[in-house]
Amino acid sequence: MSEVLLSVSGLTAGYGAIEVLRGIELEVAAEEIVAVLGSNGAGKSTLNRTISGVLRATNGSIRFAGAAIERENPAAIVARGLIHVPEGRCVFPNLTTNENLDLGGYRRGRAGRDRNRERVFEIFPRLAERRSQRAGTLSGGEQQMLVIGRGLMAEPKLLILDEPSLGLSPLLVEELFALMGRINREGIALLLVEQNVVQCLEVARRAYILEQGVFVLNGKSADIRDNPDLKRAYLGL
């Protein structure tokens, strides 16, 4: 495996007295795709928020590109190149596609804004056709492309995608996962946090299965996909 880019060790986090994550151990190598799979309520979004600094860990360590980040604020973490695209296609509806993209480079990547925008348009040609259109009038699939593109504007080393396929048609999901493969081939590591088991295991090199705040399984995606006991017990396949 390549050099470890993200390393999470002994991580616990939650909300007030409610502990959601318990002893999480996770690694993502540079230029690797890793999937975190789990049902609603398993703790996936809490994990994303904690890694990206939105939620403060109660215990454990988070190291990114060799630096401890578990006490850093989200802006400082973004400046290091760890970019979190949250669930929910949160666009600025009254701003155009171009304006939404440019906001992605506010903290990091500002000098390369024009170049990065054209790079996003190469990956998502549909956005190029709608560059002057208000984001609130885009389709759900186009808005999902836009928020991922906005993340790319920050020149990420690691892109965390929280439920990117949620609410999309099967055809759009297939297209989106193919584009994730292209993004990864350009040298960007991806952490896919999803319920979409089949598509994630096809594109990711390794996977972790999250259940009630604990990783109950992890390993190579092919091993998880092809093991009938694991599929019946944890993936419902």
Side-chain angles (χ1 to χ4, degrees):
M1 188 169 72
S2 303
E3 179 183 355
V4 173
L5 181 62
L6 174 70
S7 177
V8 177
S9 180
L11 183 69
T12 63
Y15 306 93
I18 301 173
E19 188 175 73
V20 177
L21 303 177
R22 297 174 286 127
I24 293 293
E25 306 279 338
L26 169 72
E27 286 189 351
V28 181
E31 303 183 12
E32 183 183 31
I33 301 179
V34 172
V36 173
L37 304 170
S39 61
N40 278 333
K44 302 189 304 299
S45 292
T46 300
L47 175 62
N48 292 342
R49 294 179 186 130
T50 307
I51 292 173
S52 59
V54 176
L55 180 66
R56 183 61 58 88
T58 52
N59 282 296
S61 66
I62 307 170
R63 297 188 66 83
F64 179 72
I69 64 169
E70 65 270 7
R71 298 300 170 192
E72 290 192 345
N73 62 46
I77 292 172
V78 166
R80 292 185 181 276
L82 193 160
I83 310 301
H84 173 197
V85 178
E87 176 187 350
R89 300 195 286 272
C90 299
V91 301
F92 296 95
N94 293 322
L95 300 183
T96 67
T97 293
N98 272 351
E99 290 166 339
N100 269 267
L101 290 174
D102 288 350
L103 286 173
Y106 176 77
R107 177 64 58 175
R108 175 183 167 90
R110 190 180 301 186
R113 184 183 65 184
D114 293 341
R115 180 189 67 247
N116 292 335
R117 193 190 311 116
E118 292 308 311
R119 178 191 182 199
V120 169
F121 289 152
E122 288 177 8
I123 296 171
F124 302 112
R126 211 171 308 173
L127 295 182
E129 299 169 2
R130 291 156 173 74
R131 63 178 71 205
S132 299
Q133 187 171 329
R134 288 190 179 185
T137 66
L138 300 177
S139 70
E142 290 163 351
Q143 289 184 4
Q144 186 61 63
M145 294 175 189
L146 179 55
V147 295
I148 295 174
R150 194 169 61 200
L152 292 173
M153 291 292 290
E155 300 177 357
K157 297 177 183 176
L158 171 65
L159 193 62
I160 300 177
L161 300 178
D162 190 349
E163 303 281 11
S165 72
L166 186 66
L168 301 183
S169 70
L171 186 61
L172 277 174
V173 169
E174 186 173 344
E175 179 183 355
L176 189 63
F177 273 91
L179 291 169
M180 289 178 198
R182 175 175 175 178
I183 291 168
N184 177 248
R185 288 191 293 273
E186 294 191 3
I188 299 171
L190 298 178
L191 182 61
L192 303 180
V193 183
E194 266 277 3
Q195 295 184 61
N196 190 323
V197 172
V198 174
Q199 295 279 6
C200 277
L201 292 180
E202 287 180 358
V203 72
R205 180 179 180 272
R206 295 185 299 111
Y208 294 79
I209 311 300
L210 186 63
E211 186 176 283
Q212 296 181 350
V214 177
F215 285 139
V216 293
L217 294 169
N218 71 84
K220 293 181 179 179
S221 294
D223 294 339
I224 291 177
R225 183 181 61 238
D226 296 335
N227 187 307
D229 294 331
L230 301 186
K231 289 193 289 188
R232 280 196 299 270
Y234 297 110
L235 305 182
L237 300 175

